[in-house]
């Protein structure tokens, strides 16, 4: 069992959370009903503890050029105040992690890796920094991350932020961040999330996290805000067609099969780690005319698929499920799976072997759910 606890562990215990090990951390799985938590995020708002995520500052004159080399995206193209989703790949194109990077100044970036990958990302950044005038600083241990997700998220935040800063929140675009004052403390507020809903993520020093958590819950009392755990987070992200590292993404996969080819900036100047291998994969048509492709599948029956279940076409194995469960929002089973590209077209009828019984599914375009804006 993991022994890492977030700064909010006491709050979760008081709220009756059941815990699970995730990325080496004891995290809330749910507080009561994961279905209620899922629906709260879709219809009102949910608050999540994401403090298991990593936070790494990359600063210095070469910060932009260094991240262009270390990651597959063009991080130098991000304006200050904006964020970019990117990948860190191995030389062979395998994915070490998917992560978000925030540009906080000309020579200052905040890189946010996934919980279980923080050590690997940090080690790779340090190794790849050789020859660049940059400082790589891991602040994960002293930083908490709280997310408020759902249609009422903005209204909840406005209840805590001074009136003169309200426009910073209301005008903040998706994948952008701003420094705002909450509880007389300046904190980094990002309009990002992993649920398919509008929402925010707040970076806060550990010692201030419990007070902020309680203040957000109080501000959200009339907005339907409730704490939500990893179970709801997983069903929400699956409906939104968002990949999870360890399920859809891994060192054995590649961006093109995962449908993340647009994230790879092969045309950017200079070399980057994995460029040659990724260029070869793209030229070979991997993910389009060759190999496998990540697809969405909807169940035509009531039974849901789970990770690693075989995907069949005319009783022949053509793929494997990476994530699957009943969709609380849509009312039918959904799954993501890698299937041979010749069976990846939307509308294709496939079966999933559900413990010896073939159940009918159909390939659809991701995401399964898209919020009304």
């Amino acid at each position: 069992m993991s022994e890492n606890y977030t700064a909010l562990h006491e709050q979760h215990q008081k709220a009756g959370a059941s815990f699970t090990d995730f990325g080496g951390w004891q995290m809330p799985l749910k507080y009561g009903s994961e279905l209620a938590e899922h629906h709260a995020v879709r219809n009102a708002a949910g608050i999540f503890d994401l403090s298991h995520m990593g936070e790494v500052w990359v600063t210095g004159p070469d910060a932009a050029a260094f991240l262009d080399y270390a990651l597959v995206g063009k991080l130098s193209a991000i304006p200050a105040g904006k964020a970019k989703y990117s990948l860190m790949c191995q030389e062979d194109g395998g994915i070490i992690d998917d992560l978000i990077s925030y540009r906080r100044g000309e020579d200052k970036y905040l890189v946010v890796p996934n919980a279980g990958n923080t050590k690997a990302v940090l080690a790779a950044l340090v190794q790849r920094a050789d020859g660049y005038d940059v400082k790589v600083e891991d602040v994960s241990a002293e930083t908490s991350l709280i997310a408020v997700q759902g249609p009422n998220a903005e209204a909840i935040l406005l209840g805590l932020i001074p009136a003169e800063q309200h426009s910073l929140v209301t005008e903040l675009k998706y994948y952008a961040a701003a420094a705002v004052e909450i509880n007389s403390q300046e904190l980094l507020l990002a309009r990002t999330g992993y649920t398919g809903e509008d929402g925010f993520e707040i970076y806060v020093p550990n010692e201030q996290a419990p007070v902020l958590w309680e203040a957000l819950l109080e501000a959200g009392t009339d907005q339907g805000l409730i704490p939500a755990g990893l179970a709801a987070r997983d069903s929400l992200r699956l409906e939104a067609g968002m990949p999870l590292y360890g399920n859809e993404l891994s060192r054995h996969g590649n961006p093109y099969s995962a449908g993340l080819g647009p994230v790879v900036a092969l045309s950017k100047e200079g070399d980057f780690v994995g460029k040659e291998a990724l260029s070869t994969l793209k030229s070979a048509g991997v993910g389009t005319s060759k190999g496998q492709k990540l697809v969405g599948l909807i169940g035509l029956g009531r039974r849901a698929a789970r990770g690693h279940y075989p995907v069949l076409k005319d009783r022949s194995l053509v793929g494997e499920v990476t994530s699957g469960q009943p969709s609380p929002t849509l009312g039918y089973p959904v799954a993501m799976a890698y299937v041979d590209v010749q069976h990846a077209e939307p509308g294709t009828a496939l079966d999933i072997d559900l413990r010896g019984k073939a159940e009918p599914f159909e390939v659809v375009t991701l995401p399964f759910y898209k919020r009304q804006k």
Side-chain angles (χ1 to χ4, degrees), residues 142-213:
E142 58 258 35
T143 307
S144 292
L145 179 58
I146 297 173
V148 179
Q149 299 280 300
N152 297 347
E154 183 179 283
I156 293 165
L157 264 295
L158 292 177
L160 285 178
I161 290 171
E164 62 271 18
Q165 289 194 336
H166 278 196
S167 61
L168 282 176
V169 179
T170 57
E171 295 171 15
L172 195 66
K173 302 293 187 187
Y174 188 50
Y175 265 68
V180 297
E181 189 179 304
I182 306 177
N183 284 347
S184 303
Q185 302 287 339
E186 186 175 271
L187 302 174
L188 181 63
L189 177 73
R191 198 163 209 151
T192 46
Y194 195 51
T195 64
E197 295 298 333
D198 185 25
F200 300 86
E201 296 181 327
I202 309 165
Y203 294 85
V204 54
N206 284 347
E207 60 272 16
Q208 297 171 25
V211 173
L212 175 61
W213 180 269

Side-chain angles (χ1 to χ4, degrees), residues 46-357:
I47 182 170
F48 297 84
D49 179 8
L50 307 182
S51 303
H52 57 311
M53 301 289 279
E55 291 87 17
V56 181
W57 284 103
V58 175
T59 56
D62 292 345
F66 162 62
L67 287 175
D68 277 356
Y69 170 72
L71 307 180
V72 303
K74 191 173 181 180
L75 283 296
S76 60
I78 315 173
K82 300 290 187 182
K84 190 174 184 66
Y85 176 82
S86 192
L87 302 170
M88 171 180 275
C89 287
Q90 304 172 149
E91 285 286 3
D92 65 1
I95 302 169
I96 295 173
D97 198 19
D98 65 326
L99 33 75
I100 296 177
S101 299
Y102 298 89
R103 192 169 197 169
R104 300 303 305 145
E106 185 65 26
D107 302 328
K108 188 174 185 181
Y109 290 80
L110 176 62
V111 178
V112 183
N114 285 297
N117 292 335
T118 299
K119 288 182 180 178
V121 168
L122 181 66
L125 286 172
V126 170
Q127 182 185 24
R128 295 174 189 191
D130 189 39
Y132 289 93
D133 188 359
V134 291
K135 180 183 179 184
V136 177
E137 183 185 9
D138 179 19
V139 295
S140 306
E142 58 258 35
T143 307
S144 292
L145 179 58
I146 297 173
V148 179
Q149 299 280 300
N152 297 347
E154 183 179 283
I156 293 165
L157 264 295
L158 292 177
L160 285 178
I161 290 171
E164 62 271 18
Q165 289 194 336
H166 278 196
S167 61
L168 282 176
V169 179
T170 57
E171 295 171 15
L172 195 66
K173 302 293 187 187
Y174 188 50
Y175 265 68
V180 297
E181 189 179 304
I182 306 177
N183 284 347
S184 303
Q185 302 287 339
E186 186 175 271
L187 302 174
L188 181 63
L189 177 73
R191 198 163 209 151
T192 46
Y194 195 51
T195 64
E197 295 298 333
D198 185 25
F200 300 86
E201 296 181 327
I202 309 165
Y203 294 85
V204 54
N206 284 347
E207 60 272 16
Q208 297 171 25
V211 173
L212 175 61
W213 180 269
E214 299 292 353
L216 286 164
L217 279 173
E218 187 177 342
T221 300
D222 297 331
Q223 298 285 350
L225 179 69
I226 63 170
L230 289 178
R233 187 168 158 84
D234 193 47
S235 56
L236 290 159
R237 71 93 194 166
L238 177 55
E239 288 182 347
M242 295 176 168
L244 175 65
Y245 195 90
N247 291 38
E248 286 72 41
L249 308 177
S250 73
R251 290 175 181 258
H252 305 294
N254 67 81
Y256 298 106
S257 292
L260 295 174
V263 174
V264 183
L266 289 174
S267 61
K268 63 180 173 180
E269 292 178 16
D271 193 16
F272 65 87
V273 179
K275 183 176 183 178
E276 186 178 344
L278 290 169
S279 181
T280 301
L281 287 169
K282 185 181 181 183
S283 298
V286 169
T288 53
S289 61
K290 177 184 175 184
Q292 291 196 318
K293 180 180 180 181
L294 185 67
V295 300
L297 293 165
I298 59 170
L300 306 182
R302 304 302 301 171
R303 296 180 69 204
R306 301 292 178 181
H308 304 298
Y309 281 18
V311 181
L312 311 173
K313 180 68 176 178
D314 300 328
R315 299 184 181 180
S316 295
L317 182 67
V318 297
E320 183 177 276
V321 173
T322 54
S323 299
Q325 59 178 287
S327 164
T329 306
L330 303 172
Y332 49 77
V334 297
M336 287 198 279
Y338 279 102
V339 302
D340 297 343
V341 290
Q342 58 265 42
H343 304 299
E345 275 299 306
T348 303
L350 296 172
D351 291 319
I352 296 178
D353 183 345
L354 302 188
R355 297 184 179 179
K357 185 181 178 185

